[in-house]
Amino acid sequence: MKLVTSGALDAFDIQILRELRRDGRISIQDLSERIGLSATPVARRLRQLEDQGIITGYCALIDEMKLGYEVSVFVSVQLDKQVDAALDQFEAAIQAFPEVVDCWLMTGNRDYLLRVATTGLAAFEAFLTGKLTKVPGVANIESSIPLRRVKSGVARTP
């Protein structure tokens, strides 16, 4: 797969990405009308963006609050060892926890940053004490509760 930098994309490609970010279910015809290019070239460009791995998939954005997951908590995790086996073991454990929505390997004084979504503080406490603290190798955990989301995005586009 060829790495594509934003300089390799032209104005139409960038418009396609921006429109898809706003509405991933837009039809080829509507997309072509919005960017001022006929449907056939838009479909070809879309296929190329997918083939190049710039567009990695399509999904529905889900309102977690409406599903009852009213509390998000950011959790920093420090492991007792930063060796490949410990990282692999932690990452495998995290994959099994549906409460963990996002998990990032970090630089700095913490090894991982998680976003955990639960139905409330009691559910978060149950996750924390019943699951996360029991993962082998976890040395330190720090939780932060966000007050409100200031900005939300799916992906950055040029």
Side-chain angles (χ1 to χ4, degrees), residues 90-104:
F90 179 79
E91 291 173 15
I94 289 303
Q95 294 295 331
F97 300 153
E99 300 90 346
V100 177
V101 179
D102 289 303
C103 176
W104 295 83

Side-chain angles (χ1 to χ4, degrees), residues 39-146:
T40 300
V42 167
R44 186 182 69 248
R45 286 171 176 270
L46 189 56
R47 239 183 344 272
Q48 288 173 341
L49 291 167
E50 292 168 347
D51 292 345
Q52 292 170 337
I54 295 171
I55 296 174
T56 60
Y58 300 88
C59 69
L61 300 177
I62 298 168
D63 186 330
E64 294 171 336
M65 297 278 285
K66 290 183 179 174
L67 292 175
Y69 303 114
E70 298 178 0
V71 173
S72 276
V73 181
F74 293 95
V75 180
S76 296
V77 177
Q78 185 176 23
L79 302 181
D80 56 7
K81 297 176 191 156
Q82 289 74 30
V83 295
D84 288 345
L87 299 175
D88 291 345
Q89 184 177 26
F90 179 79
E91 291 173 15
I94 289 303
Q95 294 295 331
F97 300 153
E99 300 90 346
V100 177
V101 179
D102 289 303
C103 176
W104 295 83
L105 178 63
M106 304 294 290
T107 63
N109 61 350
R110 300 293 177 176
D111 296 310
Y112 290 94
L113 178 64
L114 317 176
R115 184 172 73 83
V116 177
T118 64
T119 56
L121 288 177
F124 174 71
E125 179 185 8
F127 164 76
L128 187 66
T129 60
K131 293 182 179 180
L132 190 57
T133 59
K134 292 184 173 26
V135 174
V138 171
N140 196 356
I141 297 171
E142 184 178 304
S143 302
S144 299
I145 299 174

